[in-house]
Amino acid sequence: MSIDLVVRGTVVTPDAILRKGWVAIKGGAIHSVGSGEAPAAKETHDAGDAYVLPGIIDGQTHAGSYMGLPGIEPTTRSAIAGGVTTLVDMPYDNPEPLSSGAQFSAKVEAIHRYAHANVALYGTIMPGQPLDEVSQLVECGVIGFKISAFESSPTRFPRIDAAMTLDLLEALAATDLPLGLHNEDQEIVRSRVARARAAGSNGIAAHSPSRPPAAELASTAHFLELAASAGAHAHIVHISVPRGFQLVDHYARDGYRATGELCVHYLWFDPDRDGDGLGARMKVNPPIRPGQIESLWQELIDGRIAFVSSDHSSWPIDNKFTDSIFDAGAGVPGMETLLPAFFTVAKEHGADAARMTADYLAERPARFFGLWPQKGALRPGADADIAIFEEMETIWDSSRAEDGLCWSPYDGRRFAGRVVRTYLGGNLAYDGNSIVNKLGAGRFVARGASKWFQKDKAQ
Ligand SMILES: [Zn+2]
């Protein structure tokens, strides 16, 4: 029984952080984990004191919003350079979203052609579409479905109305799949944006009030109630204020399947402090709001947040250079910065940053999307997807990023560490300077059997 590779370092497992630990890999899977003397192996990599983390699972990315399916290539390059070994991609590809078996097949084919990292897929439905393709997509292995209460684009990112939302929730009720919601009330947002435009407000400071917390929270509450009636898993894919997580928690405590996700930029930026410098570079929807960082961190500590993601959007910077904030595209690149940004926030708050990173960026999303125990933790039998992260003060410079976008709201920001190596299925994929795995090394990952909720509770 010969071991292919031993990786030494500070190994972060679900149970312990092993100083002078090791991970032994055989045939692309983790064979054993321990500390002290390691088994003999064909190859050894000693990462010194650096953290050996499970490969990060980014639970919310948009690889194809701009470039379409070929966007999988730069997005997964960026993933691998950021220690992200599996990304969960949203369905809103250019020119049309993933809402049929044929589109699913085309995207899986594109993954096997373009991907440097593993990719799991959300599906969606189009307004008025018959729901028979939903069960087909479930069988194909999508990890969940996503819809929006707000129309960002009639063809690529449409709005699904309440009646159809309820139908879809009922169709998914018997499954473990979440229905994710982009939670903004269309009429409130359109009215407030029109009012702000008329008043001549056009800077980033006008963005949050133009899509006020009321629009976000009312949409969240409405959806939670529809899902409770249907007995389905409601997942709010981004929440910008603590009240949203508290609404979700209220339903969860009543026994309904309800969860909320936080994107890391809500823990980093504040328009009052950063708006002048960043402008549209910090425009995301729902907006990053003034004065929320500390209370959102508290939501995390209090256990009301399911996991943390990047919501990486692959928009070129041109999309941000508009006279009015209301004409600028929403979304920011963020996959390559997810791990260092989250680790840094955790450390600044005095938390056990390595443990929290493994928990919120790997273990939780793996369980959530049915990928556990194959993914999400360094334990025997799991896929050997590994991120090595060294604590070292690093100033972020997006010109060195692998996403091909060359801009980031994190430019010039100080991170507490950086990714120095990434392994995918036991093979070196990133060596700290370059992507070294091949195009197509990433695989499509289907939803497996793990459940987020221990027992199905409803009604
Ligand atoms: Zn998103």
Side-chain angles (χ1 to χ4, degrees):
M1 170 185 41
S2 67
I3 299 297
D4 298 325
L5 171 68
V6 161
V7 176
R8 293 180 153 284
T10 304
V11 176
V12 183
T13 76
D15 312 312
I17 292 186
L18 308 169
R19 311 271 160 200
K20 300 198 184 308
W22 49 263
V23 179
I25 295 156
K26 184 179 155 70
I30 295 173
H31 171 273
S32 45
V33 178
S35 58
E37 199 173 333
K42 289 179 199 148
E43 198 190 329
T44 297
H45 173 68
D46 191 343
D49 292 333
Y51 288 111
V52 180
L53 290 161
I56 300 307
I57 298 173
D58 188 343
Q60 184 174 182
T61 69
H62 297 264
S65 315
Y66 180 67
M67 286 175 67
L69 298 182
I72 290 168
E73 182 184 349
T75 304
T76 54
R77 286 182 69 87
S78 192
I80 283 296
V84 175
T85 49
T86 301
L87 51 104
V88 180
D89 205 48
M90 284 293 175
Y92 301 115
D93 301 316
N94 189 17
E96 50 189 17
L98 196 175
S99 63
S100 71
Q103 287 160 327
F104 174 86
S105 301
K107 196 159 183 180
V108 169
E109 202 175 294
I111 290 164
H112 290 162
R113 182 155 156 209
Y114 293 118
H116 288 271
N118 298 319
V119 183
L121 296 175
Y122 266 101
T124 189
I125 50 166
M126 295 300 284
Q129 180 183 338
L131 292 186
D132 30 310
E133 253 163 325
V134 168
S135 53
Q136 192 191 338
L137 288 171
V138 172
E139 273 164 38
C140 286
V142 295
I143 48 70
F145 285 79
K146 158 91 183 278
I147 57 169
S148 179
F150 181 86
E151 180 188 288
S152 294
S153 146
T155 48
R156 191 183 67 80
F157 206 133
R159 175 207 203 186
I160 299 300
D161 68 19
M164 198 166 180
T165 300
L166 183 58
D167 288 345
L168 182 56
L169 286 162
E170 286 172 352
L172 291 172
T175 75
D176 291 318
L177 277 69
L179 179 58
L181 177 75
H182 179 105
N183 50 325
E184 291 187 292
D185 181 275
Q186 178 147 312
E187 284 71 32
I188 295 174
V189 170
R190 289 200 169 162
S191 154
R192 294 294 164 104
V193 167
R195 208 183 285 177
R197 277 185 191 273
S201 315
N202 53 24
I204 186 74
H207 180 49
S208 173
S210 77
R211 311 172 84 99
E216 180 186 334
L217 294 169
S219 174
T220 299
H222 182 259
F223 182 68
L224 288 169
E225 193 54 41
L226 293 178
S229 302
H233 177 179
H235 179 58
I236 313 298
V237 302
H238 26 45
I239 293 175
S240 70
V241 286
R243 171 91 184 133
F245 291 105
Q246 290 155 17
L247 280 172
V248 167
D249 188 56
H250 180 86
Y251 280 79
R253 278 187 288 114
D254 279 354
Y256 298 109
R257 292 188 289 165
T259 45
E261 172 180 342
L262 184 67
C263 306
V264 72
H265 41 245
Y266 294 108
L267 292 172
W268 259 84
F269 301 106
D270 184 320
D272 282 353
R273 186 189 61 199
D274 308 308
D276 286 348
L278 290 173
R281 286 180 180 80
M282 63 172 289
K283 180 181 174 181
V284 296
N285 293 334
I288 298 171
R289 306 187 190 281
Q292 302 301 314
I293 293 175
E294 294 313 315
S295 52
L296 286 171
W297 180 258
Q298 195 57 45
E299 290 300 306
L300 195 79
I301 295 301
D302 291 346
R304 285 189 285 268
I305 294 176
F307 62 93
V308 177
S309 66
S310 76
D311 200 6
H312 172 89
S313 294
S314 43
W315 295 119
I317 187 66
D318 306 11
N319 191 34
K320 298 288 189 183
F321 291 146
T322 56
D323 289 339
S324 166
I325 191 71
F326 303 115
D327 297 324
V332 297
M335 191 151 24
E336 212 162 323
T337 44
L338 172 62
L339 164 51
F342 184 76
F343 184 95
T344 302
V345 170
K347 204 171 158 70
E348 280 170 359
H349 283 86
D352 182 343
R355 173 90 295 281
M356 282 197 84
T357 299
D359 190 10
Y360 279 89
L361 303 188
E363 293 163 23
R364 285 165 171 264
R367 289 181 195 278
F368 190 91
F369 292 113
L371 307 176
W372 184 271
Q374 214 59 42
K375 308 244 176 248
L378 300 177
R379 58 210 297 268
D383 295 343
D385 297 341
I386 296 170
I388 300 183
F389 185 77
E390 191 172 0
E391 278 201 70
M392 170 202 301
E393 193 180 280
T394 305
I395 307 293
W396 187 251
D397 172 6
S398 65
S399 70
R400 299 210 318 261
E402 293 285 344
D403 58 19
L405 299 167
C406 293
W407 74 277
S408 163
Y410 295 95
D411 271 330
R413 304 279 171 157
R414 209 172 290 271
F415 289 148
R418 68 184 193 101
V419 176
V420 291
R421 273 191 177 215
T422 307
Y423 289 90
L424 187 72
N427 296 312
L428 186 65
Y430 174 69
D431 66 6
N433 291 303
S434 317
I435 306 295
V436 297
N437 73 348
K438 289 202 179 67
L439 201 61
R443 299 281 90 191
F444 163 68
V445 188
R447 188 177 179 100
S450 67
K451 294 175 190 291
W452 182 254
F453 295 97
Q454 285 314 306
K455 57 180 183 322
D456 282 353
K457 287 185 277 188
Q459 311 297 1

